[in-house]
Amino acid sequence: MLNVLGQVLIYIVPFLLVLTVIVTIHELGHFGVARAFGTKIDQFSIGFGKTIVSRRDRHGTEWRLAWLPLGGYVKFAGDLDASSVPDQAGLAELRSRIEAQHGPEAVRDYFHFKPVWQRALIVAAGPAANFILAILIFTVLFSAIGSQVVPPRVGSVEPGSAAAAAGFRPGDLITEVNGRPAKDSQHVIRVVSLSSNTSVRFGVERGGNAIELVAVPQRTQVKDPIAGNVRIGRLGLGLASSPDDVRHIRYNPIEAVGQGVMQVGDVLGTTTTYLGRILTGRESGDQLSGPVGIAKASGALTDAAIKANPDPGYMALNLLRTLTSFAAILSIGIGFLNLLPIPVLDGGHLVFFAYEAVAKKPVAAAVQEAGYRVGLALLAGLMLFATWNDFQKNGLFSFLGGLAS
């Protein structure tokens, strides 16, 4: 029982804590821009379900804390339509009701009667808040801790591997990958892992001379301590730099902001590259993770941070750094997911607003309803696929089978 409780504390609690913070920031993005445009807001909730505590501010907004810590939401006044984009008939009915209850002047305070560009900015502010949060976290980390740059120098080459066939030798320093400077070892590993069965051009420095090598990473199943069993591209290179090669860089606040922006851009670039390869059939999608995989990742990171050093002060600092880094990555993922053009997400609302801006009228109710249902089905399918991946990668099917036997 104590072991189970410990696993819950390590795996579930950090995940829920980080998720709630990130979703709250996302909703605060919507809330802040809506309030700036004078939009009437009925409710802002942290968590779902039964209210633990609540209060109402001078603008009439109810702030509530609920018992289920799975994120939160902001509810605009008059926001009754499931897709939040009522058609002309729905707008007319809503306008009549508002005028009857509060007078004609009150209409302008409601979200659905704001200019379309204001509604679009309110919706886009949620994902934007996620990206800004990630940039702020990375900025603090780069300012306070800096970064360690490990040059991608080849330490070993597996016989018969793709790297050997390409002509790599121990001692080679990789300077470019696909025409772009190789920032460090992690940059090279990231590109190779997402390029299985695809030619990759490497700029290499060997004995003071610059040469170009072309290699094709082979898709290989590996066991990652955090992600589980995944298939990634591998060359058969062992990267190993000497202590003299490793550099520790500290950044001033302005440089740290720039590095934070670049880090967010790198994560988004990696995400879009991987999704593009899935859509073109070059990847299977087994690296996509759902709630189970994300909770396991947060637990594995928490466990590693605790075990890194038994000193309580160091443990606390390392745990804080690990969870904040994880929060930044997860925040980028949530921001990106919400921008997908699926009707139930922010990106779907932006698509509807774009149509309204061009056609000068909202999308028809029947189209909205159909889009909403399709969007729910797509999201449900994506979550099922990601959860299936989580079970496959972490051997949970075998575990459950063992319990049943």
Side-chain angles (χ1 to χ4, degrees):
M1 175 63 72
L2 290 177
N3 184 53
V4 172
L5 180 60
Q7 292 297 308
V8 169
L9 291 175
I10 290 177
Y11 283 79
I12 305 301
V13 173
F15 169 64
L16 292 180
L17 176 64
V18 171
L19 179 65
T20 299
V21 170
I22 290 171
V23 175
T24 299
I25 295 296
H26 177 98
E27 297 301 326
L28 281 173
H30 294 310
F31 177 90
V33 176
R35 178 61 60 83
F37 289 140
T39 306
K40 184 176 175 59
I41 302 169
D42 282 344
Q43 195 174 76
F44 187 99
S45 177
I46 300 175
F48 296 90
K50 189 175 181 179
T51 301
I52 298 174
V53 62
S54 68
R55 74 173 185 86
R56 194 171 296 275
D57 64 20
R58 61 188 180 87
H59 298 283
T61 302
E62 178 193 9
W63 294 79
R64 65 189 291 269
L65 179 65
W67 70 274
L68 190 59
L70 290 176
Y73 61 87
V74 58
K75 182 178 183 298
F76 300 119
D79 196 2
L80 302 177
D81 187 83
S83 66
S84 296
V85 189
D87 64 356
Q88 286 182 312
L91 286 173
E93 191 277 332
L94 179 59
R95 180 186 290 273
S96 298
R97 180 153 43 88
I98 294 171
E99 290 179 347
Q101 293 177 355
H102 307 289
E105 292 297 318
V107 172
R108 64 185 181 184
D109 296 332
Y110 282 69
F111 173 80
H112 298 299
F113 298 102
K114 294 292 182 181
V116 67
W117 66 270
Q118 289 188 8
R119 283 178 278 146
L121 286 179
I122 292 170
V123 168
N130 287 131
F131 299 142
I132 291 171
L133 173 63
I135 291 171
L136 288 175
I137 291 174
F138 287 134
T139 297
V140 171
L141 292 176
F142 281 124
S143 296
I145 302 172
S147 65
Q148 186 170 276
V149 179
V150 181
R153 188 176 297 279
V154 177
S156 61
V157 180
E158 294 179 12
S161 65
F168 277 98
R169 299 178 188 175
D172 287 347
L173 178 64
I174 299 174
T175 57
E176 291 184 356
V177 182
N178 287 331
R180 298 181 61 188
K183 300 176 183 178
D184 54 25
S185 294
Q186 287 302 314
H187 176 218
V188 174
I189 292 171
R190 186 164 58 247
V191 172
V192 169
S193 66
L194 293 177
S195 303
S196 57
N197 303 323
T198 303
S199 295
V200 179
R201 292 182 294 107
F202 295 91
V204 174
E205 182 182 298
R206 178 185 297 167
N209 298 317
I211 62 175
E212 182 177 286
L213 301 176
V214 178
V216 180
Q218 301 302 304
R219 184 174 297 171
T220 308
Q221 180 167 301
V222 299
K223 185 172 180 60
D224 186 275
I226 295 177
N229 297 313
V230 293
R231 288 176 291 175
I232 60 174
R234 290 190 74 249
L235 285 177
L237 282 177
L239 298 179
S241 296
S242 67
D244 293 335
D245 287 336
V246 179
R247 294 178 295 128
H248 187 81
I249 302 176
R250 293 289 293 271
Y251 300 93
N252 63 44
I254 296 177
E255 292 172 335
V257 171
Q259 290 295 317
V261 172
M262 290 176 59
Q263 190 77 8
V264 171
D266 285 344
V267 174
L268 289 174
T270 300
T271 302
T272 54
T273 297
Y274 184 63
L275 291 178
R277 290 179 64 82
I278 292 175
L279 293 175
T280 56
R282 290 180 290 176
E283 294 288 350
S284 62
D286 63 349
Q287 294 186 52
L288 291 176
S289 291
V292 175
I294 296 172
K296 180 181 181 297
S298 69
L301 290 170
T302 302
D303 191 41
I306 292 173
K307 293 178 178 178
N309 191 312
D311 179 74
Y314 182 90
M315 184 187 300
L317 287 174
N318 197 33
L319 183 59
L320 179 63
R321 182 183 66 177
T322 300
L323 287 180
T324 51
S325 298
F326 175 71
I329 300 298
L330 187 58
S331 185
I332 297 170
I334 290 176
F336 178 82
L337 176 66
N338 272 278
L339 284 178
L340 295 178
I342 298 175
V344 293
L345 299 176
D346 294 332
H349 296 328
L350 292 175
V351 171
F352 285 158
F353 293 151
Y355 171 87
E356 182 179 343
V358 174
K360 306 301 181 183
K361 63 179 181 179
V363 178
V367 175
Q368 290 185 49
E369 184 178 355
Y372 183 65
R373 291 179 178 178
V374 170
L376 279 177
L378 286 174
L379 275 184
L382 180 62
M383 291 302 296
L384 286 172
F385 177 72
T387 302
W388 175 274
N389 273 346
D390 293 338
F391 277 67
Q392 289 276 68
K393 291 184 294 186
N394 296 292
L396 293 177
F397 285 124
S398 298
F399 173 74
L400 294 174
L403 290 179
S405 62

